[in-house]
Amino acid sequence: MHHLDNTTAERPNFVTHLECGYTGERLAAGELHNLSPAGKPILVRYDLAGVAAALDKATLTRRAPDFWRYRELLPITRPENVVSLGEVMTPVVHARPLGEGVYVKEEGRLPTGSFKARGLAMAVSMAKELGVTRMAMPTNGNAGAALAAYCRAAGIEADVFCPADTPEVNVREIALQGANVYRVNGLINDCGKIVGDGKEVMGWFDTSTLKEPYRIEGKKTMGLELAEQFDWELPEAIFYPTGGGTGLIGMWKAFAELEEMGWIGPKRPKMIAVQATGCAPIVKAFEEGTEHAELWQDAHTVAAGIRVPVAVGDFLILRAVRESGGFAMAIPDDVIMAAQRDAALDSGVLLCPEGAATFAAYRRALAEDRIAASDRVVLFNCATGLKYPMPEAGITLDRSKPIDYSQF
Ligand SMILES: *Cc1c(COP(=O)(O)O)cnc(C)c1O
C-alpha cells in the first residue's frame, strides 16, 4: 500500500481521558468501559491544542479520502488494530431538484450499506485494541450487519438480537456476515435487556448504542467530513433521522472539537432531529422542554432505523438540538413514503425511509418558515435505499406474441 494509506499510517494518539457525558466525571482511557458510574454515555476527550499543532488542513486534504484520514481525532493507538473494510468519505450530492440549498449525504456508500459502519468500525477496532473476544448488541438491522462484518474482519465473535419484525434482508445479511443472529418478540430495548442481563454469564462486551464510548467517535467523522466538504463553512441546517442519536451527538462533538482547534468559527448548523410519528420520544421531550425523554409505548414505523423507543443519550441529543437553535419534528409513515417517491422521481436520489423522513421534514420546515429556501441544508440518507422492501412493479411481456408497441 502506498504512503497515503490511512489505515496503516502511524497513529500519534491525542486521547487524554474519557468523561461521563452527564456528570463530567473523568475516567481512564486505555481500558474497557460501558456506561459511566452514573449510568450515562461516556465521551472521549483529546488534547486538541496538540492535534492543531500536529495537523494542518493542507496535510489533511492530501490524505486518501476515507474517514481514517482524521486519525489524530480518533481513539485507536496502533495501526494493526484498525479494522477496515474500505470506508469511503461519502459524497454530498447537491440535489437541486429537491431544493436549491439541498445536499444529500449519501451514507449508503459505506461498507454494509449504512452509516452504522462508521460507528462499528471504530467500536470493533477499539475492542480489538482492548482485547475483547465476544461482542453483543440489540439492533433494528443495520448496526447488527455492521457489527457482524467488522467482527468477522477482526476475528471477534458476535451475537446479534433483532426485533422479530426486523426487515428480512437485514437478518439474513447479519447471518451471512457470520454473526449469531436471534429474533426476539419485542422491540430494540427488549433485545437490549437480553444483552444487558446476559453479559456477565456470556462474557459479552455490550456494544449497544452509546453503551460504549467509541461508536460516537466513528459517527463523529460525519461532522468532520461535512466541515471539510463545505470548505470549513458549515451549512445552515442538518436534518438527522434520530434513533439512538449517535450521529447527531457525534457531529455536535466534532464541531466543538474543530472550533477548539481553530479550524471553524462559532457558527453552527441548526441540528434538526427527525423521527416518525409512531415513535417520537425525542420530539415529545423537545416540545415539553424536558431534559430526558420518556419510553415511547407501542413504537411502530416503516423507518426501522429510527424505531428506538428509548435512548440512553436522550439528554445529549436534546442539548445539541437546543444549543444549535434547531428543533425536532415527527413525520407520519405515509408522508415518509411519499417523500421517498417524490425524491426518486424528481432527482434520481433513492432515499431509504429514514432519509426520506428528513426530506419530508425539510419540506415541512420550509412551508412553516422555520428554514429559508436559501439555506444550505444537509439531509442524511443514512443507508442505501436498496436494503429495503420496494413496491411491486414491472409489466410482463410475452415475446412469443407480436409486441404491441403502442402500449409503451
Ligand atoms: C441507525 C439508523 C438511524 C439512526 O441513527 P442514530 O445515530 O442511532 O440515531 C437512522 N437511519 C438508519 C438507516 C439507521 O440504520
Side-chain angles (χ1 to χ4, degrees):
M1 280 285 165
H2 59 80
H3 66 283
L4 286 178
D5 184 352
N6 299 314
T7 62
T8 56
E10 278 311 304
R11 312 186 69 81
N13 194 278
F14 292 94
V15 174
T16 54
H17 63 285
L18 309 183
E19 193 177 283
C20 172
Y22 196 66
T23 65
E25 180 183 351
R26 274 178 88 102
L27 301 159
E31 52 190 63
L32 279 178
H33 292 278
N34 286 112
L35 292 174
S36 73
K40 301 294 183 198
I42 293 176
L43 304 173
V44 183
R45 296 300 180 200
Y46 299 83
D47 166 16
L48 295 168
V51 176
L55 182 66
D56 58 58
K57 290 176 182 172
T59 305
L60 175 72
T61 51
R62 277 196 303 271
R63 292 179 178 170
D66 61 45
F67 65 54
W68 303 104
R69 73 198 326 219
Y70 305 109
R71 57 183 175 266
E72 286 84 351
L73 288 169
L74 298 175
I76 298 147
T77 312
R78 305 218 321 248
E80 61 269 30
N81 294 324
V82 171
V83 185
S84 172
L85 293 168
E87 301 73 23
V88 293
M89 277 179 92
T90 62
V92 172
V93 178
H94 192 177
R96 281 198 189 80
L98 305 186
E100 189 45 44
V102 172
Y103 296 81
V104 179
K105 185 87 170 132
E106 285 286 26
E107 295 285 294
R109 312 284 173 91
L110 286 160
T112 71
S114 88
F115 66 5
K116 290 297 193 301
R118 295 181 187 269
L120 273 312
M122 218 59 64
V124 173
S125 296
M126 283 306 291
K128 183 177 174 198
E129 183 151 298
L130 297 170
V132 169
T133 56
R134 193 160 180 185
M135 302 173 83
M137 70 153 54
T139 181
N140 280 323
N142 289 326
L147 179 73
Y150 283 96
C151 276
R152 213 66 194 168
I156 293 175
E157 187 165 5
D159 297 275
V160 175
F161 298 83
C162 314
D165 59 352
T166 298
E168 197 53 41
V169 61
N170 295 97
V171 178
R172 294 184 190 190
E173 179 189 4
I174 293 165
L176 193 57
Q177 296 267 209
N180 311 310
V181 62
Y182 306 93
R183 301 171 203 260
V184 179
N185 55 345
L187 292 173
I188 187 166
N189 47 316
D190 303 307
C191 297
K193 187 169 184 308
I194 294 177
V195 173
D197 291 349
K199 67 183 178 190
E200 303 295 333
V201 60
M202 292 304 301
W204 280 326
F205 184 67
D206 185 348
T207 318
S208 303
T209 306
L210 298 185
K211 290 191 181 167
E212 59 72 58
Y214 302 111
R215 284 176 64 183
I216 293 184
E217 294 305 294
K219 284 282 198 83
K220 180 179 89 176
T221 61
M222 300 190 294
L224 302 173
E225 263 179 44
L226 277 182
E228 191 179 342
Q229 288 170 319
F230 279 86
D231 206 14
W232 314 105
E233 291 287 336
L234 296 175
E236 279 66 50
I238 294 175
F239 285 77
Y240 189 80
T242 306
T246 327
L248 197 150
I249 296 165
M251 284 190 281
W252 195 242
K253 183 172 187 284
F255 300 152
E257 290 174 355
L258 290 173
E259 184 180 356
E260 203 174 322
M261 287 167 58
W263 283 27
I264 62 170
K267 188 175 155 276
R268 293 284 184 281
K270 287 191 172 84
M271 303 299 283
I272 299 156
V274 180
Q275 298 197 302
T277 311
C279 183
I282 298 297
V283 179
K284 182 165 182 280
F286 177 79
E287 284 168 358
E288 292 174 353
T290 57
E291 189 186 15
H292 292 281
E294 285 164 38
L295 174 77
W296 190 272
Q297 300 296 338
D298 303 320
H300 60 89
T301 169
V302 289
I306 53 176
R307 194 177 62 165
V308 179
V310 60
V312 65
D314 52 2
F315 64 101
L316 293 170
I317 302 170
L318 288 159
R319 218 182 264 171
V321 169
R322 288 180 177 130
E323 281 176 14
S324 75
F327 48 89
M329 217 180 229
I331 308 292
D333 278 4
D334 58 333
V335 179
I336 291 176
M337 297 322 286
Q340 184 191 45
R341 198 177 51 239
D342 291 350
L345 293 180
D346 293 347
S347 73
V349 173
L350 181 62
L351 298 172
C352 62
E354 297 82 357
T358 69
F359 177 44
Y362 169 71
R363 293 204 285 200
R364 201 166 96 200
L366 206 58
E368 293 175 358
D369 281 330
R370 302 172 88 174
I371 290 288
S374 57
D375 285 347
R376 296 166 308 154
V377 307
V378 172
L379 309 181
F380 264 88
N381 193 25
C382 23
T384 169
L386 299 175
K387 269 193 161 187
Y388 296 77
M390 287 175 239
E392 275 179 42
I395 292 165
T396 303
L397 297 178
D398 183 354
R399 69 185 169 85
S400 66
K401 303 211 179 80
I403 299 292
D404 171 14
Y405 286 92
S406 73
Q407 71 179 308
F408 299 134

